mmCIF file of all heavy atoms in Angstrom:
data_model
loop_
_atom_site.group_PDB
_atom_site.id
_atom_site.type_symbol
_atom_site.label_atom_id
_atom_site.label_comp_id
_atom_site.label_asym_id
_atom_site.label_seq_id
_atom_site.Cartn_x
_atom_site.Cartn_y
_atom_site.Cartn_z
ATOM 1 N N VAL A 1235 37.206 63.184 83.478
ATOM 2 C CA VAL A 1235 37.200 61.868 82.673
ATOM 3 C C VAL A 1235 37.254 62.052 81.261
ATOM 4 O O VAL A 1235 36.565 62.849 80.606
ATOM 5 C CB VAL A 1235 35.883 61.292 83.017
ATOM 6 C CG1 VAL A 1235 35.714 59.906 82.272
ATOM 7 C CG2 VAL A 1235 35.561 61.113 84.463
ATOM 8 N N ILE A 1236 38.309 61.452 80.647
ATOM 9 C CA ILE A 1236 38.587 61.461 79.215
ATOM 10 C C ILE A 1236 38.520 60.150 78.575
ATOM 11 O O ILE A 1236 39.207 59.177 79.134
ATOM 12 C CB ILE A 1236 40.023 62.197 78.976
ATOM 13 C CG1 ILE A 1236 40.017 63.525 79.406
ATOM 14 C CG2 ILE A 1236 40.429 62.031 77.478
ATOM 15 C CD1 ILE A 1236 41.319 64.263 79.502
ATOM 16 N N SER A 1237 37.764 60.009 77.487
ATOM 17 C CA SER A 1237 37.697 58.877 76.793
ATOM 18 C C SER A 1237 38.715 58.979 75.423
ATOM 19 O O SER A 1237 38.662 60.061 74.924
ATOM 20 C CB SER A 1237 36.342 58.477 76.241
ATOM 21 O OG SER A 1237 36.331 57.518 75.152
ATOM 22 N N SER A 1238 39.420 58.042 74.993
ATOM 23 C CA SER A 1238 40.260 58.073 73.953
ATOM 24 C C SER A 1238 39.442 58.376 72.726
ATOM 25 O O SER A 1238 39.801 58.992 71.624
ATOM 26 C CB SER A 1238 40.952 56.781 73.710
ATOM 27 O OG SER A 1238 40.261 55.656 73.474
ATOM 28 N N HIS A 1239 38.049 58.083 72.670
ATOM 29 C CA HIS A 1239 37.216 58.279 71.604
ATOM 30 C C HIS A 1239 36.963 59.718 71.440
ATOM 31 O O HIS A 1239 36.668 60.259 70.314
ATOM 32 C CB HIS A 1239 35.888 57.580 71.808
ATOM 33 C CG HIS A 1239 36.013 56.190 71.743
ATOM 34 N ND1 HIS A 1239 35.748 55.384 70.608
ATOM 35 C CD2 HIS A 1239 36.427 55.121 72.711
ATOM 36 C CE1 HIS A 1239 35.921 54.143 70.919
ATOM 37 N NE2 HIS A 1239 36.406 53.968 72.016
ATOM 38 N N ASP A 1240 37.202 60.569 72.513
ATOM 39 C CA ASP A 1240 37.267 61.993 72.277
ATOM 40 C C ASP A 1240 38.269 62.551 71.381
ATOM 41 O O ASP A 1240 37.994 63.563 70.656
ATOM 42 C CB ASP A 1240 37.382 62.687 73.685
ATOM 43 C CG ASP A 1240 36.454 62.335 74.759
ATOM 44 O OD1 ASP A 1240 35.343 61.833 74.350
ATOM 45 O OD2 ASP A 1240 36.772 62.461 76.006
ATOM 46 N N TYR A 1241 39.442 61.824 71.247
ATOM 47 C CA TYR A 1241 40.422 62.228 70.320
ATOM 48 C C TYR A 1241 40.496 61.440 69.151
ATOM 49 O O TYR A 1241 41.424 61.631 68.296
ATOM 50 C CB TYR A 1241 41.764 62.179 71.167
ATOM 51 C CG TYR A 1241 41.884 62.847 72.553
ATOM 52 C CD1 TYR A 1241 42.616 62.321 73.595
ATOM 53 C CD2 TYR A 1241 41.215 64.133 72.697
ATOM 54 C CE1 TYR A 1241 42.733 63.000 74.699
ATOM 55 C CE2 TYR A 1241 41.318 64.642 73.931
ATOM 56 C CZ TYR A 1241 42.020 64.112 74.984
ATOM 57 O OH TYR A 1241 42.082 64.782 76.203
ATOM 58 N N GLN A 1242 39.802 60.399 68.980
ATOM 59 C CA GLN A 1242 39.807 59.335 67.941
ATOM 60 C C GLN A 1242 41.227 58.815 67.801
ATOM 61 O O GLN A 1242 41.662 58.329 66.712
ATOM 62 C CB GLN A 1242 39.507 60.047 66.625
ATOM 63 C CG GLN A 1242 38.113 60.498 66.451
ATOM 64 C CD GLN A 1242 37.093 59.303 66.580
ATOM 65 O OE1 GLN A 1242 37.080 58.258 65.678
ATOM 66 N NE2 GLN A 1242 36.183 59.286 67.625
ATOM 67 N N GLU A 1243 41.827 58.615 68.963
ATOM 68 C CA GLU A 1243 43.123 57.909 69.117
ATOM 69 C C GLU A 1243 43.161 57.012 70.377
ATOM 70 O O GLU A 1243 42.866 57.602 71.443
ATOM 71 C CB GLU A 1243 44.255 58.843 69.191
ATOM 72 C CG GLU A 1243 44.506 59.840 68.005
ATOM 73 C CD GLU A 1243 45.258 59.086 66.884
ATOM 74 O OE1 GLU A 1243 45.660 57.913 67.007
ATOM 75 O OE2 GLU A 1243 45.317 59.568 65.758
ATOM 76 N N PRO A 1244 43.524 55.761 70.252
ATOM 77 C CA PRO A 1244 43.675 54.865 71.563
ATOM 78 C C PRO A 1244 44.893 55.365 72.288
ATOM 79 O O PRO A 1244 45.834 55.949 71.827
ATOM 80 C CB PRO A 1244 43.693 53.434 70.924
ATOM 81 C CG PRO A 1244 44.469 53.702 69.512
ATOM 82 C CD PRO A 1244 44.042 55.102 69.114
ATOM 83 N N LYS A 1245 44.889 54.856 73.480
ATOM 84 C CA LYS A 1245 45.988 55.250 74.429
ATOM 85 C C LYS A 1245 47.215 54.581 73.954
ATOM 86 O O LYS A 1245 48.346 54.973 74.354
ATOM 87 C CB LYS A 1245 45.770 54.883 75.851
ATOM 88 C CG LYS A 1245 44.501 55.659 76.614
ATOM 89 C CD LYS A 1245 44.481 55.351 78.001
ATOM 90 C CE LYS A 1245 44.017 53.920 78.299
ATOM 91 N NZ LYS A 1245 43.784 53.591 79.746
ATOM 92 N N GLU A 1246 47.164 53.511 73.155
ATOM 93 C CA GLU A 1246 48.379 52.838 72.676
ATOM 94 C C GLU A 1246 49.162 53.695 71.583
ATOM 95 O O GLU A 1246 50.267 53.504 71.204
ATOM 96 C CB GLU A 1246 47.926 51.571 71.977
ATOM 97 C CG GLU A 1246 47.505 50.448 72.897
ATOM 98 C CD GLU A 1246 46.063 50.482 73.246
ATOM 99 O OE1 GLU A 1246 45.433 51.577 72.993
ATOM 100 O OE2 GLU A 1246 45.529 49.450 73.769
ATOM 101 N N SER A 1247 48.347 54.835 71.157
ATOM 102 C CA SER A 1247 49.098 55.654 70.247
ATOM 103 C C SER A 1247 49.634 56.895 70.883
ATOM 104 O O SER A 1247 49.211 57.453 71.927
ATOM 105 C CB SER A 1247 47.899 56.117 69.233
ATOM 106 O OG SER A 1247 48.275 57.392 68.678
ATOM 107 N N GLN A 1248 50.765 57.420 70.189
ATOM 108 C CA GLN A 1248 51.620 58.582 70.856
ATOM 109 C C GLN A 1248 50.644 59.670 70.749
ATOM 110 O O GLN A 1248 50.662 60.675 71.460
ATOM 111 C CB GLN A 1248 52.889 58.691 70.068
ATOM 112 C CG GLN A 1248 53.741 57.635 70.412
ATOM 113 C CD GLN A 1248 54.437 57.627 71.737
ATOM 114 O OE1 GLN A 1248 55.120 58.345 72.152
ATOM 115 N NE2 GLN A 1248 53.825 56.697 72.751
ATOM 116 N N ALA A 1249 49.838 59.771 69.723
ATOM 117 C CA ALA A 1249 49.025 60.986 69.444
ATOM 118 C C ALA A 1249 47.948 61.244 70.508
ATOM 119 O O ALA A 1249 47.637 62.218 70.796
ATOM 120 C CB ALA A 1249 48.241 60.901 68.117
ATOM 121 N N PHE A 1250 47.613 60.040 71.147
ATOM 122 C CA PHE A 1250 46.604 60.158 72.466
ATOM 123 C C PHE A 1250 47.221 61.202 73.495
ATOM 124 O O PHE A 1250 46.543 62.070 73.907
ATOM 125 C CB PHE A 1250 46.345 58.808 72.920
ATOM 126 C CG PHE A 1250 45.584 59.003 74.266
ATOM 127 C CD1 PHE A 1250 44.137 59.170 74.221
ATOM 128 C CD2 PHE A 1250 46.187 59.080 75.503
ATOM 129 C CE1 PHE A 1250 43.362 59.273 75.490
ATOM 130 C CE2 PHE A 1250 45.548 59.179 76.696
ATOM 131 C CZ PHE A 1250 44.113 59.349 76.653
ATOM 132 N N TRP A 1251 48.513 60.925 73.751
ATOM 133 C CA TRP A 1251 49.105 61.714 74.896
ATOM 134 C C TRP A 1251 49.226 63.121 74.406
ATOM 135 O O TRP A 1251 49.299 63.997 75.249
ATOM 136 C CB TRP A 1251 50.492 61.043 75.173
ATOM 137 C CG TRP A 1251 50.105 59.535 75.551
ATOM 138 C CD1 TRP A 1251 50.572 58.440 74.839
ATOM 139 C CD2 TRP A 1251 49.512 59.096 76.788
ATOM 140 N NE1 TRP A 1251 50.163 57.354 75.452
ATOM 141 C CE2 TRP A 1251 49.607 57.596 76.556
ATOM 142 C CE3 TRP A 1251 48.999 59.619 77.936
ATOM 143 C CZ2 TRP A 1251 48.951 56.777 77.518
ATOM 144 C CZ3 TRP A 1251 48.514 58.783 78.866
ATOM 145 C CH2 TRP A 1251 48.397 57.464 78.678
ATOM 146 N N ASP A 1252 49.627 63.375 73.182
ATOM 147 C CA ASP A 1252 49.757 64.731 72.656
ATOM 148 C C ASP A 1252 48.340 65.376 72.790
ATOM 149 O O ASP A 1252 48.352 66.574 73.356
ATOM 150 C CB ASP A 1252 50.057 64.712 71.081
ATOM 151 C CG ASP A 1252 51.470 64.286 70.867
ATOM 152 O OD1 ASP A 1252 52.307 64.313 71.801
ATOM 153 O OD2 ASP A 1252 51.704 63.717 69.683
ATOM 154 N N HIS A 1253 47.186 64.841 72.436
ATOM 155 C CA HIS A 1253 45.940 65.370 72.683
ATOM 156 C C HIS A 1253 45.797 65.621 74.037
ATOM 157 O O HIS A 1253 45.160 66.820 74.462
ATOM 158 C CB HIS A 1253 44.911 64.444 72.179
ATOM 159 C CG HIS A 1253 44.716 64.465 70.636
ATOM 160 N ND1 HIS A 1253 44.265 65.538 69.889
ATOM 161 C CD2 HIS A 1253 44.927 63.391 69.666
ATOM 162 C CE1 HIS A 1253 44.184 65.322 68.694
ATOM 163 N NE2 HIS A 1253 44.601 63.923 68.490
ATOM 164 N N LEU A 1254 46.020 64.626 74.887
ATOM 165 C CA LEU A 1254 45.748 64.818 76.278
ATOM 166 C C LEU A 1254 46.538 65.941 77.032
ATOM 167 O O LEU A 1254 45.930 66.612 77.774
ATOM 168 C CB LEU A 1254 46.199 63.389 77.012
ATOM 169 C CG LEU A 1254 46.010 63.394 78.676
ATOM 170 C CD1 LEU A 1254 44.521 63.502 78.928
ATOM 171 C CD2 LEU A 1254 46.525 62.148 79.194
ATOM 172 N N GLN A 1255 47.711 66.053 76.643
ATOM 173 C CA GLN A 1255 48.510 67.202 77.166
ATOM 174 C C GLN A 1255 47.944 68.584 76.821
ATOM 175 O O GLN A 1255 47.989 69.619 77.582
ATOM 176 C CB GLN A 1255 49.946 67.060 76.921
ATOM 177 C CG GLN A 1255 50.690 68.041 77.839
ATOM 178 C CD GLN A 1255 52.276 67.975 77.684
ATOM 179 O OE1 GLN A 1255 52.768 67.994 76.493
ATOM 180 N NE2 GLN A 1255 53.093 67.889 78.786
ATOM 181 N N ARG A 1256 47.325 68.765 75.658
ATOM 182 C CA ARG A 1256 46.792 69.940 75.140
ATOM 183 C C ARG A 1256 45.500 70.252 76.014
ATOM 184 O O ARG A 1256 45.274 71.380 76.226
ATOM 185 C CB ARG A 1256 46.408 69.813 73.691
ATOM 186 C CG ARG A 1256 47.769 70.016 72.778
ATOM 187 C CD ARG A 1256 47.231 70.344 71.342
ATOM 188 N NE ARG A 1256 46.671 69.215 70.718
ATOM 189 C CZ ARG A 1256 47.409 68.224 70.045
ATOM 190 N NH1 ARG A 1256 48.742 68.399 69.987
ATOM 191 N NH2 ARG A 1256 46.828 67.147 69.382
ATOM 192 N N GLU A 1257 44.803 69.065 76.290
ATOM 193 C CA GLU A 1257 43.627 69.305 77.061
ATOM 194 C C GLU A 1257 43.887 69.447 78.664
ATOM 195 O O GLU A 1257 43.197 70.244 79.312
ATOM 196 C CB GLU A 1257 42.515 68.245 76.920
ATOM 197 C CG GLU A 1257 41.252 68.330 77.686
ATOM 198 C CD GLU A 1257 40.150 67.395 77.181
ATOM 199 O OE1 GLU A 1257 40.413 66.658 76.392
ATOM 200 O OE2 GLU A 1257 39.182 67.435 77.943
ATOM 201 N N GLU A 1258 44.926 68.784 79.077
ATOM 202 C CA GLU A 1258 45.330 68.676 80.463
ATOM 203 C C GLU A 1258 46.758 69.002 80.624
ATOM 204 O O GLU A 1258 47.579 68.171 80.596
ATOM 205 C CB GLU A 1258 44.941 67.229 80.949
ATOM 206 C CG GLU A 1258 43.564 67.018 81.368
ATOM 207 C CD GLU A 1258 43.242 67.664 82.755
ATOM 208 O OE1 GLU A 1258 44.112 67.980 83.585
ATOM 209 O OE2 GLU A 1258 41.965 67.781 82.974
ATOM 210 N N PRO A 1259 47.128 70.235 80.602
ATOM 211 C CA PRO A 1259 48.603 70.576 80.604
ATOM 212 C C PRO A 1259 49.246 70.100 81.925
ATOM 213 O O PRO A 1259 49.189 70.730 82.957
ATOM 214 C CB PRO A 1259 48.523 72.182 80.606
ATOM 215 C CG PRO A 1259 47.184 72.492 80.107
ATOM 216 C CD PRO A 1259 46.255 71.476 80.610
ATOM 217 N N PHE A 1260 49.901 68.903 81.772
ATOM 218 C CA PHE A 1260 50.549 68.416 82.909
ATOM 219 C C PHE A 1260 52.061 68.242 82.581
ATOM 220 O O PHE A 1260 52.472 68.237 81.465
ATOM 221 C CB PHE A 1260 50.047 66.908 83.151
ATOM 222 C CG PHE A 1260 50.036 66.063 82.051
ATOM 223 C CD1 PHE A 1260 51.224 65.228 81.866
ATOM 224 C CD2 PHE A 1260 49.047 65.833 81.240
ATOM 225 C CE1 PHE A 1260 51.249 64.257 80.887
ATOM 226 C CE2 PHE A 1260 49.022 64.929 80.129
ATOM 227 C CZ PHE A 1260 50.120 64.253 79.890
#
């Protein structure tokens, strides 16, 4: 379970997905 607040970026931001892939290499 990941909250965008963990990254300080909302899912509407491209930076969110960058952070997500670093944590969850998909």
Side-chain angles (χ1 to χ4, degrees):
V1235 179
I1236 291 169
S1237 164
S1238 61
H1239 294 262
D1240 302 341
Y1241 305 148
Q1242 292 300 299
E1243 294 283 354
K1245 291 189 293 181
E1246 290 86 343
S1247 161
Q1248 294 292 281
F1250 171 86
W1251 306 104
D1252 293 334
H1253 282 293
L1254 178 64
Q1255 193 176 49
R1256 283 194 288 272
E1257 183 169 352
E1258 280 281 340
F1260 58 87

